Amino acid sequence: MFSKLLIFFIGFIVLTIEVNSAESWKPVYIQPEQLHISLGEQPTEIVATWTTMEKTSDSICHYGEESKQSFDYSSRGYQQKFIDGGPKKRHMYIHRVYMKNLQPDTRYIYHCGSENGWSELFFFKTFPKGNEWQPRFVIYGDLGNDNAQTMSMLQEEIQLGHHDLVTHVGDFAYDMHTDNALVGDEFMRQIQPIAAYVPYQVMAGNHERDYNYSNYNHRFTMHSQGEKEINNHFWSYNIGPVHLIAINTDFWEHIQYGTHMIENQFKWLEQDLKRANEPENRKKQPWIITMGHHPLYYQATRPDNKIRIGNEQLPGLEPLLYKYGVDLSFWAHDHIYTRFLPVYNEKIFNGTRQDPYFNPKSPVHIITGSAGCREFVTPVHSNPNPYTAYVSNDYGYTYMTVLNETHIQLRQISRNQMGKVIDEFMLVKEKHGPEAWLY
Ligand SMILES: [Fe+2]
Ligand SMILES: [Fe+2]
């Protein structure tokens, strides 16, 4: 009897040890991932944002000039627990660190993490000082986790240093919150080979809306120049001779939750445009360029587009853009590339008979929403409106090179045609501001 009991007892201990050790072998998820950078409060700052699945001891970036091959600087930031709104209430930790006192036009190496582990080594190059340089933008919207047709091309071009920054004009991952935010995690891993090397500047689309934009709000870090507060919904920044403004046009699409978001943003936008038009500011940044997800114009006429014209309760955007002499507006949402003739109030305002884009008499609109997602592309309309100048539903993205205060070069790159430039034009403005419409 005693020996039977002893065997049982020993057996119980062995089993307990096994169960305990199996539990203690559960992996820990403290390795930094999904790292990306964006423009900080000042042009001398770059913010790094990344994720760990569990809390780590600290949030730190080590950085230094590439030419010295050493981490001469260290910045400490913070981590915030993010709980996804899905049924599993998955959580993760989002880390933010501001790399400060950066020299202009300098290449830095960096890594981020903590004593629990560092990310891979990445690099970025700061913008030159002042306004006399030629920013090279890549612009696209509607890039998903699945069918991300242009992802590998973008990853390679960015790593080779072909571009200074990326602007993603809404609709990410499809969707970041899908499958308890696992889709968001994987998408953010996919863009790391882009977004860890150049500022990845974003605005929200309809696919970010769920759970009150919470995945979008937590995973990105947008600042207006000179603003301490993070605001991922509307922000503006001076980049060379460009004053870039990003807005959330999705606010117009769910007014059942109230109109205060539109009103707040509208007030901010008007203030921002006013300031950008003060003569000394417009002299330094003659180009005012806006970006937002839902377009004001499509291939087919939509006379009741409330984002453009507003309604009884709400203002529309088009009169404001016109009043303050916005030069160029980028949109996405329609999974297609569309270049419009200069248009205002559905009327064409070409610059000259030979060249619509030479001193145009209204803003110029472009849709670039064909980067690739699981909703595929929009068909080309068989009978588009008269102000639609060129349409392609090849997967692709847009290059914008700001040559100087009078010339911007725009090119559309096709993924279907292995990087071929399928549309190209020069926007020329010898005068900026509302007076350009009469020039
Ligand atoms: Fe989309
Ligand atoms: Fe959309």
Side-chain angles (χ1 to χ4, degrees):
M1 183 62 190
F2 177 74
S3 62
K4 268 190 189 163
L5 259 178
L6 190 67
I7 289 165
F8 175 76
F9 187 62
I10 290 169
F12 178 74
I13 289 172
V14 168
L15 205 71
T16 312
I17 289 169
E18 271 189 6
V19 167
N20 281 343
S21 52
E23 264 179 15
S24 64
W25 287 342
K26 253 177 63 181
V28 289
Y29 293 95
I30 50 174
Q31 180 61 24
E33 55 173 273
Q34 308 176 36
L35 194 152
H36 52 100
I37 58 173
S38 50
L39 299 170
E41 183 190 333
Q42 301 297 339
T44 51
E45 281 178 25
I46 288 283
V47 197
T49 310
W50 72 94
T51 301
T52 54
M53 293 303 156
E54 289 170 29
K55 195 167 195 263
T56 62
S57 62
D58 218 330
S59 310
I60 294 172
C61 292
H62 291 150
Y63 56 106
E65 290 173 30
E66 189 185 48
S67 56
K68 296 184 183 158
Q69 280 296 310
S70 72
F71 292 136
D72 288 336
Y73 312 100
S74 172
S75 281
R76 173 173 274 125
Y78 61 94
Q79 57 191 310
Q80 269 180 323
K81 190 175 188 178
F82 165 49
I83 303 171
D84 172 57
K88 285 196 178 160
K89 299 282 176 277
R90 273 186 68 237
H91 72 264
M92 62 193 76
Y93 290 83
I94 309 285
H95 304 254
R96 289 191 172 89
V97 169
Y98 292 76
M99 292 181 264
K100 296 188 179 190
N101 301 320
L102 301 170
Q103 297 302 313
D105 210 7
T106 304
R107 234 165 102 115
Y108 285 85
I109 51 170
Y110 75 103
H111 69 195
C112 300
S114 69
E115 293 303 323
N116 296 143
W118 299 105
S119 70
E120 300 89 325
L121 181 71
F122 296 108
F123 59 81
F124 62 82
K125 187 170 163 291
T126 50
F127 295 162
K129 213 182 171 114
N131 57 351
E132 286 180 6
W133 59 284
Q134 304 183 325
R136 299 162 304 165
F137 291 71
V138 187
I139 306 163
Y140 54 82
D142 309 84
L143 179 63
N145 157 244
D146 192 13
N147 196 34
Q149 292 272 344
T150 56
M151 188 72 85
S152 62
M153 286 168 71
L154 290 163
Q155 290 167 339
E156 190 161 284
E157 289 178 20
I158 294 289
Q159 291 178 359
L160 290 173
H162 293 183
H163 310 292
D164 297 306
L165 76 160
V166 169
T167 53
H168 185 149
V169 191
D171 280 5
F172 298 75
Y174 290 76
D175 297 350
M176 286 191 278
H177 71 277
T178 303
D179 199 7
N180 295 287
L182 287 173
V183 172
D185 286 342
E186 191 51 26
F187 178 80
M188 297 306 290
R189 290 182 195 113
Q190 285 170 288
I191 63 163
Q192 181 180 279
I194 302 169
Y197 299 99
V198 292
Y200 200 86
Q201 298 297 114
V202 296
M203 50 231 88
N206 47 306
H207 282 270
E208 283 65 73
R209 192 188 306 160
D210 286 59
Y211 311 125
N212 198 17
Y213 300 98
S214 65
N215 268 270
Y216 174 77
N217 281 336
H218 282 90
R219 290 172 188 272
F220 292 104
T221 311
M222 292 296 116
H223 283 272
S224 283
Q225 191 166 334
E227 282 293 327
K228 206 171 174 52
E229 293 287 306
I230 296 169
N231 186 340
N232 288 352
H233 295 279
F234 44 91
W235 53 267
S236 69
Y237 223 93
N238 294 331
I239 298 163
V242 173
H243 182 69
L244 176 66
I245 300 175
I247 51 171
N248 182 330
T249 52
D250 194 50
F251 288 158
W252 272 266
E253 297 293 309
H254 51 85
I255 51 176
Q256 69 272 27
Y257 299 122
T259 54
H260 62 282
M261 277 110 71
I262 301 176
E263 285 150 7
N264 287 346
Q265 174 172 251
F266 206 87
K267 253 186 238 155
W268 171 85
L269 179 59
E270 179 143 33
Q271 280 307 102
D272 193 82
L273 284 166
K274 245 185 215 164
R275 203 178 326 127
N277 268 294
E278 283 168 15
E280 59 171 280
N281 291 335
R282 192 97 200 216
K283 194 169 176 349
K284 278 187 248 159
Q285 275 78 37
W287 294 102
I288 298 183
I289 297 175
T290 68
M291 298 190 185
H293 184 65
H294 301 77
L296 297 197
Y297 288 102
Y298 293 82
Q299 305 165 67
T301 308
R302 297 189 187 186
D304 57 347
N305 182 351
K306 61 178 180 288
I307 302 172
R308 183 171 72 78
I309 58 168
N311 59 22
E312 305 81 51
Q313 318 135 281
L314 292 169
L317 279 174
E318 190 176 38
L320 200 64
L321 304 187
Y322 188 82
K323 182 178 170 190
Y324 290 100
V326 168
D327 299 292
L328 184 56
S329 293
F330 288 90
W331 314 99
H333 187 59
D334 211 6
H335 296 171
I336 202 158
Y337 167 76
T338 312
R339 167 167 57 82
F340 295 96
L341 293 172
V343 55
Y344 174 63
N345 214 3
E346 294 193 82
K347 289 186 193 67
I348 295 168
F349 284 91
N350 284 352
T352 64
R353 197 181 287 271
Q354 294 77 22
D355 185 351
Y357 305 103
F358 186 86
N359 292 329
K361 307 294 182 259
S362 76
V364 171
H365 298 266
I366 290 171
I367 295 176
T368 178
S370 53
C373 67
R374 64 174 161 78
E375 294 181 352
F376 307 108
V377 290
T378 308
V380 175
H381 203 283
S382 57
N383 185 25
N385 53 38
Y387 44 83
T388 295
Y390 177 86
V391 186
S392 166
N393 67 358
D394 280 10
Y395 288 108
Y397 42 84
T398 308
Y399 293 163
M400 174 172 77
T401 306
V402 186
L403 298 172
N404 51 41
E405 61 184 46
T406 55
H407 286 64
I408 286 185
Q409 181 196 44
L410 289 135
R411 286 171 292 169
Q412 181 64 16
I413 307 306
S414 162
R415 158 77 195 175
N416 306 40
Q417 299 177 58
M418 304 316 294
K420 190 180 160 199
V421 177
I422 53 169
D423 189 41
E424 180 168 9
F425 74 106
M426 191 76 79
L427 176 60
V428 183
K429 304 257 311 214
E430 294 169 320
K431 203 168 200 60
H432 293 272
E435 55 274 30
W437 310 146
L438 306 168
Y439 182 64

